[in-house]
Amino acid sequence: MHSLTHTDTHARRGEEKRRDGKKGKEGNEMAKSERGKGGRGVSASELKEKLRGLVKGIVESDDYTVQAADEAIATLSALKEFKCGSSFSDKLDDFALPPQFRCPISTQLMTDPVILSTGQTYDRPFIQRWLNEGNRTCPQTQQVLSHSILTPNYLVRDMIAQWCRDRGIEMPKPARDIDEVVTDADRDRLNSLLHKLSLSVSDRKEAAKELRLLTKRMPSVRTLFGESGDVISRLLSPLSPGTACADPDLHEDLITIVLNLSIHDDNKKVFAEDPTVISLLIDALKSGTTQTRSNAAAAIFTLSALDSNKHIIGKSGAIKHLLDLLDEGQPLAMKDAASAIFNLCLVHENKGRTVRDGAVRVILNKMMDRVLVDELLAILALLSSHPKAVEEMGDLGAVPFLLGVIRESSSERSKENCVAILYTICFSDRTKLKEIREEEKVNGTLSKLAKCGTSRAKRKANGILERLNRSLSLTHTA
């Protein structure tokens, strides 16, 4: 069974470094010497200053030495170490960490040691999470706490800081988000559940339900899925692309886990760039239960927050299946599908795909049935920049409907979207001007909007009215 421990992570990194060859080794050795000359660490600002001088000398001189280039590479590598989250633990491997510097909960070096009412010292984020979970005993002694006040242990903190300085190690900053602090117990628990997903059906269902709950409630568990390359494949092993999961409950739980994990920003790019994940989400859109399809649409919506992911998802063919979900009219799933479609259409190339997949007809039919009018108008407004979408809107009777929404809706945003779409239609298809003019004579819809709408709505309404007046003048002149 694969493990998510730091040990395996370091082993993988070591293998990658060995494949880099002798030159890479020499660079690493030089980088280490930069970080620890004289037993004391070099600060990031000192490294930047040195790198600036080296690069300037190389760029401005035609006869720079290979040694200068190697030194610049080594300095850059050392600077990178300051940014690399794993560099600190890598350096710790070279030293025997005193037991009193380790947090009893995480077993890692304490960055913000605090004293509990029992006198025991812990790293603040880990003991705080213990208390936040409702525990009122000391993890080490099991004594009931007289209070939950955490007192900074300045003596231990200063001792740790001095120990780090003596070894040329930059002490890491305390964790900002307590909820995202990861413990070895978290890793062990995740590994155990992932292993159960490879066992019997009952084991898989039990593990999936627990993972669904953990990924919903514990941000720290979400962060673990970026630590090892095989975690996603192990999680989704019970599903096969192109086929429906034999057990609907298991299918729903696994897709919901993907949704929960997609909330974490560090997972968005990894998930979208994994063809298996997108393929399984599309399969869930096509063949899952109502809840599974809804959660798959919500996962696509969350992943599409990144522009790069919008392109990937658009090319995958997911838009057609989101439109199918919207068209079928299941209330639970329609809003998730509409939100995902809107996000994807923020990228120009996806507008064409959405129009070609029949979005205009589906959206207008839904709106005419008074379903998600505000949300779908926002999508239609995005699509109105596509010529084929504008043509279809005119053919499908969008003009009288949009004018009706302006008259009846209480939503200023919806009125604004309606008049923006009408503005595009009447400037693209002159035959619609007569239809708008007749309506304006009866109800004065655009005139009213031009007086009391939002600034954008007023601008668009006045633009249409001016167009109508010019058209009328030309007719009289003729």
Side-chain angles (χ1 to χ4, degrees):
M1 182 181 71
H2 295 287
S3 173
L4 294 174
T5 62
H6 283 309
T7 304
D8 283 346
T9 305
H10 297 155
R12 258 196 327 279
R13 291 197 189 101
E15 183 60 33
E16 290 169 359
K17 289 177 183 176
R18 284 194 290 275
R19 287 200 298 268
D20 286 339
K22 181 179 179 182
K23 189 172 182 179
K25 289 181 181 178
E26 292 171 351
N28 289 337
E29 289 302 317
M30 292 177 70
K32 286 181 181 178
S33 68
E34 290 296 332
R35 296 194 302 270
K37 286 178 180 176
R40 297 189 64 82
V42 182
S43 70
S45 59
E46 290 172 324
L47 287 172
K48 287 179 182 178
E49 189 61 35
K50 180 175 182 180
L51 182 63
R52 188 178 293 111
L54 288 167
V55 171
K56 183 178 180 181
I58 292 170
V59 171
E60 294 180 355
S61 174
D62 293 331
D63 59 348
Y64 67 87
T65 64
V66 174
Q67 183 180 0
D70 286 341
E71 194 172 356
I73 293 170
T75 305
L76 183 62
S77 177
L79 190 60
K80 179 182 176 183
E81 290 287 345
F82 280 98
K83 281 289 186 183
C84 179
S86 63
S87 61
F88 180 74
S89 54
D90 284 339
K91 293 173 197 172
L92 279 184
D93 289 345
D94 298 331
F95 304 102
L97 182 64
Q100 64 269 29
F101 293 170
R102 294 183 184 273
C103 172
I105 298 175
S106 69
T107 71
Q108 299 167 11
L109 180 70
M110 291 186 283
T111 58
D112 188 8
V114 292
I115 304 171
L116 204 57
S117 63
T118 57
Q120 305 296 322
T121 296
Y122 298 91
D123 203 1
R124 183 186 296 275
F126 296 95
I127 189 61
Q128 187 64 64
R129 196 175 92 172
W130 168 267
L131 297 173
N132 289 350
E133 290 172 352
N135 297 298
R136 288 297 176 265
T137 58
C138 174
Q140 279 188 291
T141 66
Q142 302 304 311
Q143 288 177 261
V144 176
L145 303 178
S146 58
H147 60 78
S148 59
I149 299 172
L150 301 176
T151 306
N153 192 330
Y154 295 114
L155 175 61
V156 172
R157 188 183 68 178
D158 290 345
M159 290 171 64
I160 292 173
Q162 185 61 51
W163 185 86
C164 289
R165 284 195 296 271
D166 290 345
R167 287 153 184 79
I169 299 174
E170 186 172 338
M171 187 172 172
K173 295 178 181 179
R176 292 182 181 178
D177 192 339
I178 293 172
D179 289 335
E180 294 196 1
V181 168
V182 179
T183 67
D184 288 339
D186 292 333
R187 293 187 178 87
D188 292 341
R189 189 177 186 184
L190 178 59
N191 273 315
S192 174
L193 292 171
L194 290 174
H195 175 64
K196 287 180 73 173
L197 286 175
S198 64
L199 304 177
S200 67
V201 174
S202 60
D203 284 326
R204 291 178 180 182
K205 293 177 69 173
E206 183 182 337
K209 286 199 178 301
E210 186 172 348
L211 274 171
R212 177 174 177 171
L213 193 63
L214 285 176
T215 53
K216 177 182 179 181
R217 295 181 176 177
M218 296 180 62
S220 59
V221 174
R222 296 178 206 146
T223 66
L224 285 171
F225 279 77
E227 286 194 359
S228 177
D230 69 337
V231 176
I232 300 173
S233 59
R234 293 171 68 193
L235 170 67
L236 300 176
S237 59
L239 302 176
S240 299
T243 61
C245 182
D247 188 285
D249 292 335
L250 177 58
H251 192 198
E252 179 185 318
D253 286 337
L254 291 172
I255 293 300
T256 307
I257 292 168
V258 173
L259 167 59
N260 294 341
L261 294 172
S262 68
I263 295 170
H264 194 278
D265 287 341
D266 291 345
N267 291 335
K268 287 181 179 10
K269 187 175 175 63
V270 176
F271 276 38
E273 291 181 352
D274 189 323
T276 305
V277 174
I278 301 301
S279 177
L280 290 174
L281 289 175
I282 291 174
D283 284 341
L285 288 174
K286 292 191 290 186
S287 59
T289 63
T290 300
Q291 184 65 63
T292 302
R293 299 176 78 191
S294 179
N295 289 349
I300 290 173
F301 165 69
T302 308
L303 292 174
S304 64
L306 299 182
D307 283 347
S308 58
N309 289 357
K310 291 180 178 70
H311 293 282
I312 294 170
I313 296 168
K315 291 175 183 177
S316 72
I319 293 173
K320 178 183 182 303
H321 301 293
L322 289 168
L323 286 168
D324 289 342
L325 188 57
L326 178 64
D327 191 27
E328 288 176 20
Q330 298 167 325
L332 183 66
M334 280 193 298
K335 194 158 189 176
D336 288 320
S339 298
I341 293 167
F342 176 85
N343 247 14
L344 293 170
C345 286
L346 292 172
V347 170
H348 180 71
E349 66 185 50
N350 285 338
K351 293 179 184 179
R353 293 187 177 105
T354 306
V355 173
R356 287 192 295 273
D357 287 335
V360 174
R361 181 179 296 277
V362 172
I363 289 171
L364 280 174
N365 285 342
K366 288 297 166 191
M367 287 197 301
M368 288 176 182
D369 289 337
R370 304 298 174 185
V371 175
L372 296 177
V373 174
D374 293 345
E375 292 86 348
L376 297 180
L377 269 173
I379 300 174
L380 210 59
L382 284 176
L383 297 180
S384 65
S385 64
H386 194 281
K388 189 173 186 299
V390 175
E391 182 185 338
E392 287 186 27
M393 289 180 211
D395 294 342
L396 294 169
V399 171
F401 173 75
L402 294 171
L403 288 167
V405 173
I406 294 174
R407 287 195 308 271
E408 300 165 10
S409 177
S410 60
S411 168
E412 293 300 323
R413 179 53 60 87
S414 290
K415 292 178 183 180
E416 185 180 300
N417 282 328
C418 283
V419 74
I421 298 167
L422 285 169
Y423 182 87
T424 305
I425 292 175
C426 76
F427 273 76
S428 302
D429 185 355
R430 291 182 60 187
T431 65
K432 300 303 174 187
L433 288 173
K434 181 179 179 182
E435 196 172 350
I436 296 174
R437 185 183 299 114
E438 292 301 320
E439 201 279 341
E440 189 64 19
K441 285 179 183 179
V442 176
N443 297 304
T445 304
L446 294 175
S447 298
K448 293 174 184 175
L449 188 62
K451 290 179 181 178
C452 59
T454 65
S455 58
R456 181 168 178 253
K458 289 178 180 178
R459 194 166 61 249
K460 295 294 184 182
N462 279 316
I464 297 173
L465 291 171
E466 289 171 9
R467 177 80 171 180
L468 290 175
N469 291 333
R470 283 201 304 269
S471 174
L472 191 59
S473 298
L474 288 171
T475 303
H476 288 162
T477 304

